[in-house]
Amino acid sequence: MFAQITGYSFAVLVLTGVFLTFYFDPSMARVTYDGPYGPLQDVPVSRAYDSTMELSFEVRGGLLMRQIHHWAALIFCASIALQLLRLFFTGGFRRPRLLNWLIWVGLFTLGMVASLTGTILPDDMLSGGSLLLIKGVLESIPFVGTHLQRFVFGGDFPGDVIIERVYWLHILILPLIIAGALAHRRRLVTRQHGHTRFAPGSAAHRLGSHHVTRARAAIVGAPKAAAIAMFLFTCGVLALLGAFVQINAIWQFGPYEPGAITAGAVPGWYMAFLDGAVRIMPGWELDVAGNPLTLAVLVPAIVVPGVFFTALALWPAAEAVITGDRAEHHVLDRPRDRPARTGFGAAGMTFYGLLWLAAANDQIALNFHLDLFAVTSFFRVAIFAGPVIAFVITNRVCHYLTRRERHEAAHGRETGRIVMDAQGRFSEIHARPDRPQAAIDSPDHELATTAKE
């Protein structure tokens, strides 16, 4: 279902994006705002900002479309992240689905870039903050950073062409690549290796064999109806969010002015881990052959995400090499049955989550009346200690759960019922774990057993 939500969110993004392109002008030419929003009357703004304000306040349904578009971008990235977690913890990335895993990793990166370019287009204060961060990241690249920054911005920052360049990247290039990746992923699933699933006995044991049979018949027997229902449900949720939950209110931020900055503003959740890494990184800077090497930006903004996503993409190959398991797998693992993998997954989530929280270090300090430097120092320590603690705890929990299952299989499950025998001794009744016969007799049972072997 996460894959379906991803595809349907992308469809909503395309439909609302087409609507928005009819009214948005990606020009940085200066005009004077004369729209209905009073606080900005006679304020010099760019044509991009002015057209976005016109779209929000004067075009019928314009603000609703803007907000649905923005929420769809957030849900798109979130569903990809959840799909990656699902594949990772259940082993859905193993042969023959390695390419499918790489597509999802690539889609997450593309979704982040596409969403970031979308927030740049209105040319408001948040847009300017994102552009300023991009400028700093480009300039931190050794030796070629300054030349690269001037090439991207067409001269001195911010220049007068960056919005138009980002516009075509956002509405044409990135959507075509994402659409191609989603189509290829769909082709892999439908024509080559199909969907993964858990062993049927485990699902039947949890829900009852009759529930599993009924649910499978409902889904497999009417795929088009289920797909249409899921699409309508996704559209409905996005419409409700766009109608009732305000987001990206550019009139409150105002147009971008070089040298100014917003207070208490953070990027979209998908970019927050980069912002957090930049905030907690010490201000280190070296001099290499007469050129400054700004580690305070280079490490958190380029090295950390580069290593993180590279490790994510190469994990299937690394696991296959370490475990020596290169067989094809069509049945998913339970996370508890792979304690090392589950522990590393928990460690990665902790690492990502701490960086994500660090993006709000100033808000945490303000709202909880803490010292900002103390909060930053906490995150600098926690980013190294937290993943280790998460790995150890998760690994032990998985081992405990598997030991308990083996004990129940050997001695039976505790029922809490105490009986007294003829000699007056008390003992507890243990119930033997039983497997549903419907699951054992099903045709899928043989496939699951073969795949495990």
Side-chain angles (χ1 to χ4, degrees):
M1 287 174 53
F2 293 140
Q4 286 185 333
I5 294 173
T6 300
Y8 299 151
S9 298
F10 180 71
V12 173
L13 281 169
V14 172
L15 293 175
T16 54
V18 170
F19 175 87
L20 297 176
T21 55
F22 286 106
Y23 302 96
F24 179 73
D25 184 358
S27 172
M28 299 183 71
R30 306 300 290 179
V31 297
T32 301
Y33 179 76
D34 59 352
Y37 188 67
L40 288 178
Q41 283 290 339
D42 300 325
V43 173
V45 298
S46 67
R47 186 69 189 99
Y49 185 87
D50 183 68
S51 63
T52 308
M53 290 290 293
E54 180 182 352
L55 179 64
S56 302
F57 286 94
E58 300 177 60
V59 175
R60 185 181 298 274
L63 180 59
L64 177 63
M65 287 296 176
R66 272 195 62 228
Q67 299 208 145
I68 291 177
H69 189 77
H70 200 119
W71 275 113
L74 297 179
I75 299 299
F76 177 77
C77 293
S79 59
I80 295 176
L82 292 173
Q83 173 73 351
L84 284 171
L85 290 174
R86 200 274 296 177
L87 292 174
F88 182 88
F89 284 109
T90 60
F93 52 78
R94 295 171 298 181
R95 289 186 60 193
R97 296 174 178 82
L98 174 58
L99 182 56
N100 181 64
W101 169 260
L102 294 177
I103 288 175
W104 282 114
V105 175
L107 279 173
F108 190 47
T109 308
L110 290 170
M112 290 171 55
V113 176
S115 301
L116 178 63
T117 54
T119 60
I120 290 174
L121 293 179
D123 199 26
D124 61 325
M125 282 299 299
L126 290 182
S127 167
S130 299
L131 287 176
L132 194 62
L133 179 60
I134 293 174
K135 170 181 177 291
V137 171
L138 293 175
E139 289 180 339
S140 70
I141 300 175
F143 306 111
V144 298
T146 302
H147 303 288
L148 186 61
Q149 178 264 317
R150 293 180 63 85
F151 171 76
V152 170
F153 287 93
D156 294 332
F157 178 84
D160 56 1
V161 298
I162 186 62
I163 298 294
E164 185 173 359
R165 291 180 177 181
V166 170
Y167 175 75
W168 291 109
L169 180 66
H170 179 74
I171 72 163
L172 185 62
I173 299 176
L174 290 174
L176 287 177
I177 298 175
I178 293 174
L182 287 173
H184 188 56
R185 177 258 165 197
R186 178 67 178 171
R187 181 178 177 275
L188 289 175
V189 172
T190 56
R191 297 189 180 183
Q192 293 191 22
H193 45 62
H195 289 284
T196 55
R197 53 189 170 186
F198 287 102
S202 61
H205 181 69
R206 292 193 304 271
L207 303 177
S209 58
H210 61 288
H211 292 301
V212 174
T213 304
R214 187 185 308 167
R216 184 176 300 160
I219 295 174
V220 177
K224 292 183 179 179
I228 293 173
M230 192 64 189
F231 175 71
L232 295 176
F233 179 79
T234 304
C235 293
V237 171
L238 291 173
L240 289 174
L241 287 172
F244 296 106
V245 185
Q246 179 175 279
I247 193 169
N248 199 23
I250 64 169
W251 53 90
Q252 295 181 353
F253 309 137
Y256 175 60
E257 298 178 6
I261 191 171
T262 55
V266 295
W269 75 264
Y270 48 87
M271 296 296 296
F273 80 105
L274 288 179
D275 190 16
V278 172
R279 292 188 183 210
I280 66 176
M281 179 70 185
W284 294 343
E285 184 171 300
L286 305 177
D287 186 81
V288 180
N291 295 284
L293 183 61
T294 310
L295 297 178
V297 179
L298 179 67
V299 171
I302 296 181
V303 176
V304 169
V307 172
F308 183 82
F309 284 107
T310 301
L312 201 62
L314 296 180
W315 178 269
E319 181 175 302
V321 171
I322 294 173
T323 61
D325 182 7
R326 291 181 171 83
E328 290 192 359
H329 293 271
H330 299 281
V331 177
L332 297 173
D333 295 326
R334 296 185 308 170
R336 68 180 65 180
D337 295 330
R338 295 290 184 268
R341 180 204 297 155
T342 305
F344 277 112
M349 291 177 61
T350 303
F351 178 78
Y352 185 96
L354 285 170
L355 290 180
W356 187 80
L357 284 175
N361 62 343
D362 55 342
Q363 295 301 304
I364 294 174
L366 177 65
N367 289 281
F368 290 94
H369 307 288
L370 302 173
D371 180 70
L372 177 61
F373 295 101
V375 174
T376 303
S377 299
F378 165 79
F379 281 113
R380 288 175 178 173
V381 175
I383 201 63
F384 294 102
V388 176
I389 296 173
F391 175 86
V392 172
I393 293 177
T394 305
N395 189 275
R396 292 189 176 184
V397 169
C398 290
H399 281 294
Y400 165 75
L401 293 174
T402 53
R403 284 197 306 268
R404 188 182 67 177
E405 286 184 341
R406 287 196 297 266
H407 177 78
E408 289 181 355
H411 303 284
R413 177 171 40 86
E414 296 179 356
T415 63
R417 295 167 56 196
I418 307 298
V419 297
M420 184 177 64
D421 59 18
Q423 288 75 29
R425 293 174 299 186
F426 291 91
S427 61
E428 183 180 12
I429 296 178
H430 286 71
R432 291 291 181 181
D434 54 341
R435 298 185 61 185
Q437 190 62 31
I440 297 176
D441 295 338
S442 67
D444 294 331
H445 177 68
E446 183 178 353
L447 172 63
T449 305
T450 305
K452 283 187 175 181
E453 291 175 353

